[in-house]
Amino acid sequence: MSHRSAVTTAAPDLDPFRFRRTVGRFSTGITVITTAEGEQVHGMTANGFLSVSLEPPLVLVSLATRSRMAGLLARTGRYGVSVLADDQQMHSQHFAGRPVADLRPEFRWAAGLPFLDGALAEIGCDVVDVHEAGDHQLFIGHVRHLAEREGKPLVFFTGSYRALHAGLDEDSFTY
């Protein structure tokens, strides 16, 4: 088995819009990544989040290299992940750069990190590694805080928000 040490560029005929549409067929949960500088909370919607390892407990968040949040995480060295509930779509939009006029997000502080109030899960991390990957940076975080509550997740599939309901049949998604 051979391992490649470098990522090669895509074939010139690979349309980036088709790539985005195709990978959009993978349903994802939605998170708000937070960090703080002093009392100032910074947040950004991200669905590029995943569990990496159980021992030690590691997670990863993928951020555009030129994003403000990537620069903030490089400075603070810590981040919180709030996994959004199905009633937090406005929060997702707000932190994705489409501010909702009357929305005043509230944060719950734990382990020195802000987490979006009402989230299904909280994962607090110290950045232990950063990897360049194309036009993104992968921030590996060592998990230092966990909290969870019951509820339904907010899901993103084919470019739209969805709500996941009990059961595993095709009717489990609300369109």
Side-chain angles (χ1 to χ4, degrees), residues 25 35 37 47 59 70 72 87 98 127 165 168:
R25 299 250 173 231
T35 194
E37 288 185 307
N47 63 357
V59 297
L72 286 164
D87 63 351
R98 295 183 302 274
V127 176
H165 299 284
L168 297 176

Side-chain angles (χ1 to χ4, degrees), residues 7-66:
V7 176
T8 59
T9 58
D13 60 344
L14 185 65
D15 176 23
F17 297 106
R18 182 170 182 221
F19 175 71
R20 184 179 189 144
R21 188 176 64 244
T22 301
V23 297
R25 299 250 173 231
F26 180 70
S27 58
T28 62
I30 301 172
T31 67
V32 169
I33 307 303
T34 53
T35 194
E37 288 185 307
E39 295 298 310
Q40 182 65 44
V41 175
H42 304 275
M44 184 190 100
T45 298
N47 63 357
F49 164 77
L50 60 100
S51 166
V52 174
S53 169
L54 293 175
E55 289 294 329
L58 300 174
V59 297
L60 174 152
V61 63
S62 176
L63 303 174
T65 299
R66 295 183 183 192

Side-chain angles (χ1 to χ4, degrees), residues 82-101:
S82 298
V83 178
L84 299 190
D86 67 350
D87 63 351
Q88 293 183 303
Q89 181 176 332
M90 287 193 326
H91 289 86
S92 173
Q93 293 169 330
H94 182 81
F95 288 104
R98 295 183 302 274
V100 177

Side-chain angles (χ1 to χ4, degrees), residues 33 44 46 48-50 59-75 79 127 129-141:
I33 307 303
M44 184 190 100
F49 164 77
L50 60 100
V59 297
L60 174 152
V61 63
S62 176
L63 303 174
T65 299
R66 295 183 183 192
S67 70
R68 183 168 181 237
M69 185 59 74
L72 286 164
L73 294 192
R75 286 197 307 274
Y79 63 89
V127 176
D129 209 354
V130 179
H131 296 273
E132 298 289 327
D135 59 359
H136 277 59
Q137 289 182 315
L138 309 177
F139 288 84
I140 308 291

Side-chain angles (χ1 to χ4, degrees), residues 95-111:
F95 288 104
R98 295 183 302 274
V100 177
D102 295 331
L103 183 66
R104 300 287 176 256
E106 294 189 25
F107 298 94
R108 191 181 92 71
W109 287 79

